[in-house]
Amino acid sequence: MEFSSKLLERAVNEMSQLPGIGKRTALRLVLHMLKQPKEQTFALSEALQTMRNDVKFCKSCHNISDTELCEICSSPNRKEDIICVVEDVRDVMAIENTSSFKGLYHVLGGKISPMDGVGPHDLNIESLINKVKDGKINELVFALSSTMEGDTTNFYIYKQIQDYKVFTSTIARGISVGDELEYADEITLGRSILNRIPFESSLKL
Amino acid sequence: MEFSSKLLERAVNEMSQLPGIGKRTALRLVLHMLKQPKEQTFALSEALQTMRNDVKFCKSCHNISDTELCEICSSPNRKEDIICVVEDVRDVMAIENTSSFKGLYHVLGGKISPMDGVGPHDLNIESLINKVKDGKINELVFALSSTMEGDTTNFYIYKQIQDYKVFTSTIARGISVGDELEYADEITLGRSILNRIPFESSLKL
Protein backbone atom coordinates (compact mmCIF):
# COMPACT_ATOMS: atom_id res chain seq x y z
CA MET A 1 0.00 0.00 0.00
CA GLU A 2 1.36 3.42 -0.96
CA PHE A 3 0.53 6.25 1.43
CA SER A 4 0.54 9.91 0.52
CA SER A 5 1.45 10.84 4.10
CA LYS A 6 4.05 9.39 6.45
CA LEU A 7 1.93 10.31 9.48
CA LEU A 8 -1.01 8.39 8.06
CA GLU A 9 1.25 5.45 7.25
CA ARG A 10 2.62 5.32 10.79
CA ALA A 11 -0.85 5.46 12.35
CA VAL A 12 -2.06 2.68 10.03
CA ASN A 13 0.99 0.54 10.78
CA GLU A 14 0.53 0.91 14.53
CA MET A 15 -3.19 0.14 14.30
CA SER A 16 -2.58 -2.96 12.21
CA GLN A 17 -0.43 -4.44 14.99
CA LEU A 18 -3.64 -5.20 16.85
CA PRO A 19 -4.98 -8.74 16.47
CA GLY A 20 -7.56 -9.15 13.71
CA ILE A 21 -6.91 -5.68 12.29
CA GLY A 22 -5.28 -5.75 8.87
CA LYS A 23 -3.86 -2.84 6.90
CA ARG A 24 -7.13 -2.15 5.12
CA THR A 25 -9.23 -2.13 8.30
CA ALA A 26 -6.61 0.03 10.01
CA LEU A 27 -6.78 2.53 7.14
CA ARG A 28 -10.57 2.60 7.36
CA LEU A 29 -10.44 3.26 11.12
CA VAL A 30 -7.77 5.95 10.82
CA LEU A 31 -9.58 7.76 8.00
CA HIS A 32 -12.73 7.63 10.13
CA MET A 33 -10.83 9.38 12.93
CA LEU A 34 -9.78 12.10 10.50
CA LYS A 35 -13.43 12.80 9.75
CA GLN A 36 -14.36 13.01 13.43
CA PRO A 37 -13.54 15.91 15.76
CA LYS A 38 -9.94 15.92 17.00
CA GLU A 39 -11.14 15.53 20.58
CA GLN A 40 -12.40 12.04 19.88
CA THR A 41 -9.00 10.78 18.75
CA PHE A 42 -7.33 12.52 21.69
CA ALA A 43 -9.79 10.93 24.11
CA LEU A 44 -9.14 7.48 22.67
CA SER A 45 -5.40 7.93 22.68
CA GLU A 46 -5.43 9.28 26.23
CA ALA A 47 -7.69 6.51 27.50
CA LEU A 48 -5.38 3.86 26.07
CA GLN A 49 -2.27 5.47 27.56
CA THR A 50 -3.77 5.95 31.01
CA MET A 51 -5.17 2.45 30.99
CA ARG A 52 -1.84 0.90 29.99
CA ASN A 53 0.01 2.97 32.54
CA ASP A 54 -2.26 2.88 35.57
CA VAL A 55 -4.25 -0.32 35.42
CA LYS A 56 -3.42 -2.70 38.24
CA PHE A 57 -3.90 -6.39 38.76
CA CYS A 58 -5.52 -7.50 42.02
CA LYS A 59 -2.74 -8.87 44.23
CA SER A 60 -4.94 -11.72 45.34
CA CYS A 61 -6.87 -12.94 42.27
CA HIS A 62 -4.87 -11.19 39.49
CA ASN A 63 -8.03 -9.75 37.97
CA ILE A 64 -7.79 -6.30 36.39
CA SER A 65 -8.54 -3.67 39.01
CA ASP A 66 -8.08 0.00 39.83
CA THR A 67 -7.13 -0.84 43.40
CA GLU A 68 -4.65 -3.13 45.12
CA LEU A 69 -7.38 -5.60 45.99
CA CYS A 70 -10.21 -5.90 43.45
CA GLU A 71 -13.87 -5.27 44.25
CA ILE A 72 -14.71 -8.95 44.32
CA CYS A 73 -11.84 -9.92 46.63
CA SER A 74 -12.58 -7.05 49.00
CA SER A 75 -16.35 -7.59 49.06
CA PRO A 76 -17.74 -8.84 52.41
CA ASN A 77 -20.61 -10.62 50.58
CA ARG A 78 -18.40 -13.19 48.89
CA LYS A 79 -17.69 -16.69 50.14
CA GLU A 80 -13.97 -16.71 50.70
CA ASP A 81 -13.58 -20.48 50.89
CA ILE A 82 -14.51 -21.24 47.28
CA ILE A 83 -12.34 -20.16 44.37
CA CYS A 84 -13.17 -20.34 40.69
CA VAL A 85 -10.03 -20.83 38.58
CA VAL A 86 -10.27 -19.09 35.20
CA GLU A 87 -7.93 -18.38 32.36
CA ASP A 88 -8.67 -14.80 31.59
CA VAL A 89 -10.20 -11.53 32.79
CA ARG A 90 -13.00 -12.00 30.26
CA ASP A 91 -13.98 -15.28 31.89
CA VAL A 92 -14.49 -13.48 35.21
CA MET A 93 -16.79 -11.02 33.45
CA ALA A 94 -18.70 -13.86 31.76
CA ILE A 95 -19.25 -15.75 35.03
CA GLU A 96 -20.12 -12.56 36.92
CA ASN A 97 -22.82 -11.86 34.32
CA THR A 98 -24.54 -15.13 35.25
CA SER A 99 -24.86 -14.07 38.93
CA SER A 100 -24.51 -17.79 39.71
CA PHE A 101 -21.22 -17.72 41.55
CA LYS A 102 -20.73 -16.09 44.93
CA GLY A 103 -17.15 -17.13 45.67
CA LEU A 104 -13.85 -15.57 44.66
CA TYR A 105 -11.85 -15.94 41.47
CA HIS A 106 -8.29 -16.72 40.52
CA VAL A 107 -7.14 -15.55 37.09
CA LEU A 108 -4.29 -17.71 35.76
CA GLY A 109 -3.51 -15.43 32.84
CA GLY A 110 -3.44 -18.26 30.30
CA LYS A 111 -3.15 -22.01 29.97
CA ILE A 112 -0.13 -24.30 30.08
CA SER A 113 0.79 -24.67 26.41
CA PRO A 114 4.26 -26.01 25.61
CA MET A 115 3.58 -25.39 21.89
CA ASP A 116 3.32 -21.65 22.55
CA GLY A 117 6.15 -21.74 25.09
CA VAL A 118 3.83 -21.17 28.07
CA GLY A 119 4.89 -23.21 31.12
CA PRO A 120 3.39 -23.32 34.65
CA HIS A 121 5.79 -20.61 35.82
CA ASP A 122 4.45 -18.12 33.27
CA LEU A 123 1.01 -18.36 34.90
CA ASN A 124 -0.34 -17.30 38.30
CA ILE A 125 -0.33 -20.89 39.57
CA GLU A 126 2.03 -20.58 42.52
CA SER A 127 -0.12 -18.00 44.29
CA LEU A 128 -3.12 -20.30 43.85
CA ILE A 129 -1.25 -23.26 45.37
CA ASN A 130 -0.23 -21.01 48.28
CA LYS A 131 -3.86 -20.07 48.92
CA VAL A 132 -4.70 -23.78 49.13
CA LYS A 133 -1.70 -24.45 51.38
CA ASP A 134 -2.92 -21.78 53.78
CA GLY A 135 -5.87 -24.11 54.39
CA LYS A 136 -8.69 -21.56 54.12
CA ILE A 137 -10.03 -22.86 50.80
CA ASN A 138 -12.70 -25.58 50.79
CA GLU A 139 -13.35 -25.85 47.06
CA LEU A 140 -11.58 -25.07 43.79
CA VAL A 141 -13.87 -24.83 40.74
CA PHE A 142 -11.94 -25.34 37.52
CA ALA A 143 -13.55 -23.22 34.77
CA LEU A 144 -10.93 -23.42 32.03
CA SER A 145 -11.87 -24.11 28.43
CA SER A 146 -12.07 -27.83 27.68
CA THR A 147 -9.12 -28.02 25.30
CA MET A 148 -5.97 -30.09 25.59
CA GLU A 149 -4.22 -27.09 27.17
CA GLY A 150 -7.08 -26.42 29.58
CA ASP A 151 -7.15 -30.06 30.70
CA THR A 152 -3.36 -30.07 31.12
CA THR A 153 -3.55 -26.97 33.29
CA ASN A 154 -6.36 -28.40 35.41
CA PHE A 155 -4.39 -31.61 35.92
CA TYR A 156 -1.16 -29.78 36.77
CA ILE A 157 -2.89 -27.75 39.47
CA TYR A 158 -4.74 -30.84 40.73
CA LYS A 159 -1.46 -32.73 41.12
CA GLN A 160 0.04 -29.89 43.16
CA ILE A 161 -2.83 -29.65 45.62
CA GLN A 162 -4.02 -33.26 45.92
CA ASP A 163 -2.27 -33.75 49.26
CA TYR A 164 -4.18 -30.83 50.78
CA LYS A 165 -7.73 -31.06 52.09
CA VAL A 166 -9.58 -29.25 49.32
CA PHE A 167 -12.52 -30.32 47.18
CA THR A 168 -12.01 -29.80 43.44
CA SER A 169 -14.81 -29.54 40.90
CA THR A 170 -15.07 -28.62 37.26
CA ILE A 171 -17.92 -26.80 35.52
CA ALA A 172 -20.51 -29.03 33.82
CA ARG A 173 -20.12 -29.79 30.12
CA GLY A 174 -23.32 -30.55 28.27
CA ILE A 175 -25.85 -29.44 25.71
CA SER A 176 -26.41 -25.67 25.77
CA VAL A 177 -29.83 -24.51 26.93
CA GLY A 178 -32.03 -24.21 23.83
CA ASP A 179 -29.83 -26.39 21.61
CA GLU A 180 -31.12 -29.28 19.50
CA LEU A 181 -29.73 -32.69 20.45
CA GLU A 182 -29.26 -33.77 16.84
CA TYR A 183 -26.71 -31.02 16.15
CA ALA A 184 -24.61 -31.57 19.28
CA ASP A 185 -21.19 -33.20 18.95
CA GLU A 186 -20.82 -36.75 20.28
CA ILE A 187 -18.41 -35.93 23.11
CA THR A 188 -20.61 -33.21 24.57
CA LEU A 189 -23.78 -35.29 24.22
CA GLY A 190 -22.01 -38.36 25.66
CA ARG A 191 -20.76 -36.39 28.67
CA SER A 192 -24.18 -34.84 29.24
CA ILE A 193 -25.66 -38.34 29.50
CA LEU A 194 -22.95 -39.70 31.77
CA ASN A 195 -23.19 -36.63 34.01
CA ARG A 196 -26.98 -36.57 34.13
CA ILE A 197 -28.57 -35.00 37.22
CA PRO A 198 -31.72 -35.90 39.16
CA PHE A 199 -34.75 -34.36 37.44
CA GLU A 200 -35.94 -32.85 40.70
CA SER A 201 -32.77 -30.87 41.13
CA SER A 202 -33.06 -29.52 37.56
CA LEU A 203 -36.47 -28.11 38.52
CA LYS A 204 -34.85 -25.90 41.13
CA LEU A 205 -32.53 -24.14 38.61
CA MET B 1 -20.97 -5.53 30.42
CA GLU B 2 -19.57 -5.14 33.93
CA PHE B 3 -15.96 -4.02 34.18
CA SER B 4 -13.75 -4.54 37.19
CA SER B 5 -11.78 -1.39 36.36
CA LYS B 6 -12.94 2.09 35.36
CA LEU B 7 -9.77 2.63 33.33
CA LEU B 8 -10.43 -0.53 31.35
CA GLU B 9 -14.04 0.47 30.86
CA ARG B 10 -13.08 3.91 29.51
CA ALA B 11 -10.54 2.43 27.09
CA VAL B 12 -13.09 -0.11 25.85
CA ASN B 13 -15.76 2.57 25.44
CA GLU B 14 -13.43 4.82 23.44
CA MET B 15 -12.30 1.94 21.24
CA SER B 16 -15.86 0.85 20.54
CA GLN B 17 -16.64 4.28 19.06
CA LEU B 18 -14.72 3.20 15.98
CA PRO B 19 -16.83 1.87 13.11
CA GLY B 20 -17.21 -1.91 13.05
CA ILE B 21 -15.69 -2.32 16.52
CA GLY B 22 -18.21 -3.47 19.11
CA LYS B 23 -17.74 -3.72 22.87
CA ARG B 24 -16.50 -7.30 22.71
CA THR B 25 -13.94 -6.64 19.99
CA ALA B 26 -12.82 -3.50 21.81
CA LEU B 27 -12.31 -5.52 25.00
CA ARG B 28 -10.30 -8.13 23.10
CA LEU B 29 -8.07 -5.43 21.58
CA VAL B 30 -7.57 -3.61 24.87
CA LEU B 31 -6.73 -6.82 26.77
CA HIS B 32 -4.27 -7.66 24.01
CA MET B 33 -2.56 -4.30 24.62
CA LEU B 34 -2.27 -5.12 28.32
CA LYS B 35 -0.35 -8.28 27.43
CA GLN B 36 2.04 -6.42 25.11
CA PRO B 37 4.90 -4.15 26.25
CA LYS B 38 3.74 -0.68 27.32
CA GLU B 39 5.81 0.89 24.54
CA GLN B 40 3.52 -0.59 21.91
CA THR B 41 0.41 1.07 23.31
CA PHE B 42 2.27 4.36 23.73
CA ALA B 43 3.51 4.18 20.13
CA LEU B 44 -0.02 3.58 18.86
CA SER B 45 -1.50 6.32 20.97
CA GLU B 46 1.21 8.77 19.99
CA ALA B 47 0.93 7.92 16.28
CA LEU B 48 -2.83 8.55 16.37
CA GLN B 49 -2.44 11.87 18.18
CA THR B 50 0.31 13.17 15.92
CA MET B 51 -1.56 12.05 12.84
CA ARG B 52 -4.79 13.74 13.93
CA ASN B 53 -2.96 16.91 14.86
CA ASP B 54 -0.44 17.32 12.07
CA VAL B 55 -1.88 15.70 8.97
CA LYS B 56 -2.63 18.18 6.20
CA PHE B 57 -4.83 18.09 3.17
CA CYS B 58 -3.28 19.14 -0.13
CA LYS B 59 -4.54 22.65 -0.91
CA SER B 60 -5.02 21.71 -4.56
CA CYS B 61 -6.44 18.19 -4.66
CA HIS B 62 -7.51 17.75 -0.99
CA ASN B 63 -5.66 14.45 -0.73
CA ILE B 64 -4.01 13.64 2.63
CA SER B 65 -0.47 14.96 2.65
CA ASP B 66 2.39 15.96 4.94
CA THR B 67 3.04 19.09 2.90
CA GLU B 68 0.98 22.01 1.62
CA LEU B 69 0.94 20.56 -1.89
CA CYS B 70 0.87 16.75 -2.09
CA GLU B 71 3.49 14.67 -3.88
CA ILE B 72 1.24 14.02 -6.86
CA CYS B 73 0.26 17.65 -7.37
CA SER B 74 3.86 18.82 -7.05
CA SER B 75 5.33 16.12 -9.29
CA PRO B 76 6.70 17.39 -12.64
CA ASN B 77 5.93 14.01 -14.27
CA ARG B 78 2.15 14.38 -14.03
CA LYS B 79 -0.12 15.68 -16.77
CA GLU B 80 -1.69 18.77 -15.27
CA ASP B 81 -4.53 19.06 -17.76
CA ILE B 82 -6.36 15.87 -16.78
CA ILE B 83 -8.05 15.48 -13.40
CA CYS B 84 -9.54 12.34 -11.94
CA VAL B 85 -12.45 13.13 -9.59
CA VAL B 86 -12.68 10.68 -6.69
CA GLU B 87 -14.71 10.42 -3.53
CA ASP B 88 -12.09 9.48 -1.03
CA VAL B 89 -8.39 9.27 -0.18
CA ARG B 90 -8.60 5.48 -0.50
CA ASP B 91 -9.71 5.81 -4.12
CA VAL B 92 -6.55 7.78 -4.92
CA MET B 93 -4.48 4.97 -3.40
CA ALA B 94 -6.44 2.36 -5.35
CA ILE B 95 -5.97 4.14 -8.69
CA GLU B 96 -2.31 4.93 -7.95
CA ASN B 97 -1.74 1.19 -7.39
CA THR B 98 -2.84 0.49 -10.97
CA SER B 99 -0.14 2.83 -12.41
CA SER B 100 -2.64 3.50 -15.20
CA PHE B 101 -3.29 7.18 -14.54
CA LYS B 102 -0.71 9.90 -15.02
CA GLY B 103 -2.86 12.97 -14.39
CA LEU B 104 -3.81 14.71 -11.15
CA TYR B 105 -6.62 13.95 -8.70
CA HIS B 106 -9.37 15.85 -6.98
CA VAL B 107 -10.74 14.37 -3.76
CA LEU B 108 -14.34 15.43 -3.13
CA GLY B 109 -14.46 14.03 0.39
CA GLY B 110 -17.79 12.28 -0.13
CA LYS B 111 -20.82 12.15 -2.39
CA ILE B 112 -23.90 14.34 -2.54
CA SER B 113 -26.37 12.48 -0.35
CA PRO B 114 -29.44 14.37 0.89
CA MET B 115 -30.43 11.33 2.96
CA ASP B 116 -27.24 11.71 5.04
CA GLY B 117 -27.47 15.49 4.97
CA VAL B 118 -24.51 15.91 2.62
CA GLY B 119 -25.03 18.70 0.11
CA PRO B 120 -22.72 20.08 -2.61
CA HIS B 121 -21.34 22.69 -0.23
CA ASP B 122 -20.09 20.04 2.19
CA LEU B 123 -17.80 18.67 -0.53
CA ASN B 124 -14.74 20.08 -2.31
CA ILE B 125 -16.73 20.85 -5.45
CA GLU B 126 -16.22 24.59 -5.69
CA SER B 127 -12.45 24.33 -5.92
CA LEU B 128 -12.88 21.79 -8.72
CA ILE B 129 -15.21 24.10 -10.66
CA ASN B 130 -12.67 26.91 -10.20
CA LYS B 131 -9.92 24.75 -11.67
CA VAL B 132 -12.09 24.17 -14.73
CA LYS B 133 -12.97 27.89 -14.96
CA ASP B 134 -9.26 28.72 -15.02
CA GLY B 135 -9.22 26.96 -18.39
CA LYS B 136 -6.15 24.80 -17.86
CA ILE B 137 -8.04 21.50 -17.62
CA ASN B 138 -8.72 19.48 -20.75
CA GLU B 139 -10.39 16.43 -19.25
CA LEU B 140 -12.24 15.47 -16.08
CA VAL B 141 -12.43 11.73 -15.38
CA PHE B 142 -15.32 10.88 -13.04
CA ALA B 143 -14.30 7.90 -10.89
CA LEU B 144 -17.05 7.88 -8.26
CA SER B 145 -18.82 4.71 -7.26
CA SER B 146 -21.79 3.94 -9.49
CA THR B 147 -24.52 4.42 -6.90
CA MET B 148 -27.41 6.83 -6.91
CA GLU B 149 -25.32 9.29 -4.87
CA GLY B 150 -22.28 8.90 -7.12
CA ASP B 151 -24.38 9.53 -10.24
CA THR B 152 -26.01 12.56 -8.64
CA THR B 153 -22.62 14.02 -7.77
CA ASN B 154 -21.28 13.40 -11.28
CA PHE B 155 -24.32 15.08 -12.78
CA TYR B 156 -24.16 18.07 -10.42
CA ILE B 157 -20.54 18.73 -11.35
CA TYR B 158 -21.28 18.15 -15.04
CA LYS B 159 -24.06 20.76 -14.95
CA GLN B 160 -21.76 23.34 -13.39
CA ILE B 161 -19.01 22.96 -15.97
CA GLN B 162 -20.89 22.19 -19.17
CA ASP B 163 -20.47 25.75 -20.47
CA TYR B 164 -16.71 25.50 -20.24
CA LYS B 165 -14.50 23.81 -22.80
CA VAL B 166 -13.61 20.62 -20.93
CA PHE B 167 -13.98 17.00 -21.96
CA THR B 168 -15.65 14.79 -19.34
CA SER B 169 -15.32 11.03 -19.13
CA THR B 170 -16.29 8.35 -16.68
CA ILE B 171 -14.41 5.15 -15.89
CA ALA B 172 -15.58 2.03 -17.75
CA ARG B 173 -18.12 -0.25 -16.08
CA GLY B 174 -17.98 -3.86 -17.17
CA ILE B 175 -17.17 -7.43 -16.27
CA SER B 176 -14.12 -7.68 -13.99
CA VAL B 177 -11.04 -9.30 -15.48
CA GLY B 178 -11.21 -13.02 -14.68
CA ASP B 179 -14.95 -13.03 -13.91
CA GLU B 180 -17.45 -15.50 -15.37
CA LEU B 181 -20.16 -13.92 -17.54
CA GLU B 182 -22.92 -16.11 -16.11
CA TYR B 183 -22.48 -14.69 -12.59
CA ALA B 184 -22.41 -11.03 -13.63
CA ASP B 185 -25.43 -8.83 -12.91
CA GLU B 186 -27.54 -7.74 -15.87
CA ILE B 187 -26.78 -4.02 -15.69
CA THR B 188 -23.03 -4.53 -15.68
CA LEU B 189 -23.16 -7.10 -18.46
CA GLY B 190 -25.56 -4.93 -20.49
CA ARG B 191 -23.29 -1.89 -20.14
CA SER B 192 -20.23 -3.92 -21.06
CA ILE B 193 -21.93 -4.91 -24.33
CA LEU B 194 -23.16 -1.43 -25.17
CA ASN B 195 -19.73 0.04 -24.39
CA ARG B 196 -17.77 -2.61 -26.24
CA ILE B 197 -14.39 -1.57 -27.62
CA PRO B 198 -12.54 -2.54 -30.82
CA PHE B 199 -10.78 -5.87 -30.35
CA GLU B 200 -7.51 -4.43 -31.65
CA SER B 201 -7.44 -1.77 -28.93
CA SER B 202 -8.02 -4.42 -26.24
CA LEU B 203 -4.86 -6.19 -27.49
CA LYS B 204 -2.78 -3.14 -26.58
CA LEU B 205 -3.81 -3.15 -22.90
Side-chain angles (χ1 to χ4, degrees):
Chain A
M1 229 187 268
E2 287 256 350
F3 292 90
S4 56
S5 150
K6 292 265 172 263
L7 296 170
L8 180 72
E9 182 167 9
R10 214 176 100 225
V12 169
N13 283 341
E14 289 294 339
M15 272 304 251
S16 63
Q17 307 250 335
L18 296 174
I21 308 259
K23 286 267 161 115
R24 267 167 196 273
T25 311
L27 179 61
R28 189 167 53 82
L29 296 177
V30 167
L31 289 178
H32 171 85
M33 287 181 206
L34 281 178
K35 284 192 180 171
Q36 301 296 312
K38 280 190 184 186
E39 291 68 37
Q40 200 169 315
T41 307
F42 293 162
L44 165 64
S45 139
E46 207 263 302
L48 292 180
Q49 261 185 28
T50 323
M51 189 267 309
R52 192 63 189 83
N53 225 7
D54 298 348
V55 106
K56 293 185 187 68
F57 290 90
C58 171
K59 65 177 180 180
S60 173
C61 73
H62 309 286
N63 191 9
I64 286 180
S65 167
D66 291 340
T67 45
E68 283 268 291
L69 210 60
C70 77
E71 278 180 29
I72 298 175
C73 286
S74 54
S75 162
N77 302 322
R78 293 289 190 148
K79 288 186 196 160
E80 287 176 25
D81 60 343
I82 170 165
I83 288 186
C84 181
V85 181
V86 294
E87 194 189 320
D88 199 29
V89 175
R90 270 173 291 179
D91 302 329
V92 175
M93 290 169 68
I95 298 178
E96 279 299 285
N97 279 339
T98 69
S99 313
S100 297
F101 182 70
K102 290 291 163 225
L104 305 181
Y105 293 92
H106 189 92
V107 180
L108 295 178
K111 292 172 288 191
I112 296 175
S113 172
M115 293 279 279
D116 304 315
V118 181
H121 300 291
D122 301 316
L123 306 175
N124 304 316
I125 291 183
E126 209 182 311
S127 54
L128 177 64
I129 310 288
N130 287 336
K131 282 183 198 169
V132 175
K133 281 183 184 168
D134 287 350
K136 287 176 192 155
I137 312 298
N138 284 324
E139 180 176 353
L140 278 194
V141 184
F142 291 124
L144 302 193
S145 49
S146 65
T147 55
M148 177 85 89
E149 290 81 14
D151 290 346
T152 308
T153 314
N154 286 341
F155 196 67
Y156 178 88
I157 298 173
Y158 175 73
K159 275 289 188 186
Q160 304 271 314
I161 56 160
Q162 63 180 345
D163 296 337
Y164 299 92
K165 207 178 129 261
V166 62
F167 178 69
T168 48
S169 61
T170 172
I171 56 170
R173 308 290 174 181
I175 310 293
S176 294
V177 176
D179 258 16
E180 309 264 2
L181 286 205
E182 55 178 325
Y183 302 122
D185 67 289
E186 297 85 2
I187 300 178
T188 304
L189 185 54
R191 281 213 207 177
S192 78
I193 290 173
L194 292 175
N195 298 325
R196 63 193 179 276
I197 58 165
F199 182 67
E200 283 89 0
S201 66
S202 79
L203 292 177
K204 289 178 209 147
L205 296 178
Chain B
M1 227 187 270
E2 287 256 351
F3 292 90
S4 55
S5 150
K6 292 267 172 259
L7 296 170
L8 181 71
E9 183 168 11
R10 215 177 101 226
V12 168
N13 283 342
E14 290 293 340
M15 271 304 251
S16 62
Q17 307 251 334
L18 296 174
I21 308 259
K23 285 268 162 115
R24 266 167 197 273
T25 311
L27 179 62
R28 190 167 53 82
L29 296 177
V30 167
L31 290 179
H32 171 85
M33 286 181 207
L34 280 179
K35 283 193 181 171
Q36 300 297 312
K38 280 188 183 185
E39 290 69 35
Q40 200 168 314
T41 308
F42 293 163
L44 165 64
S45 138
E46 207 264 303
L48 292 179
Q49 262 185 28
T50 323
M51 189 267 309
R52 192 64 189 78
N53 227 3
D54 298 347
V55 109
K56 293 184 188 70
F57 291 90
C58 170
K59 65 176 178 178
S60 172
C61 73
H62 309 286
N63 190 10
I64 286 179
S65 167
D66 292 340
T67 44
E68 282 270 289
L69 209 61
C70 76
E71 277 181 31
I72 297 175
C73 286
S74 54
S75 162
N77 303 321
R78 293 289 187 148
K79 288 186 198 161
E80 287 175 23
D81 61 342
I82 170 166
I83 289 186
C84 182
V85 182
V86 295
E87 192 188 320
D88 198 31
V89 175
R90 270 174 290 179
D91 301 329
V92 175
M93 291 170 68
I95 298 178
E96 279 299 284
N97 279 339
T98 68
S99 313
S100 297
F101 182 69
K102 290 291 162 223
L104 304 181
Y105 293 92
H106 189 92
V107 180
L108 295 178
K111 291 171 289 191
I112 296 175
S113 172
M115 294 279 278
D116 305 314
V118 181
H121 300 291
D122 301 316
L123 305 175
N124 304 315
I125 291 183
E126 209 181 313
S127 53
L128 177 64
I129 310 288
N130 287 335
K131 283 183 198 171
V132 174
K133 281 184 184 167
D134 286 348
K136 288 178 191 152
I137 313 297
N138 283 323
E139 181 175 353
L140 278 194
V141 184
F142 291 124
L144 301 193
S145 49
S146 64
T147 56
M148 177 85 90
E149 290 82 14
D151 290 346
T152 310
T153 314
N154 286 341
F155 196 66
Y156 179 87
I157 299 173
Y158 175 73
K159 276 289 190 190
Q160 304 271 313
I161 56 160
Q162 61 181 348
D163 297 335
Y164 299 93
K165 208 178 128 260
V166 60
F167 177 70
T168 49
S169 61
T170 171
I171 57 168
R173 308 290 174 183
I175 310 293
S176 293
V177 176
D179 257 17
E180 310 261 1
L181 285 205
E182 57 177 323
Y183 301 123
D185 65 292
E186 297 85 1
I187 300 177
T188 304
L189 186 54
R191 280 215 208 176
S192 78
I193 289 172
L194 293 174
N195 298 325
R196 63 194 178 277
I197 59 165
F199 183 65
E200 284 88 359
S201 67
S202 80
L203 292 176
K204 289 180 208 142
L205 295 176

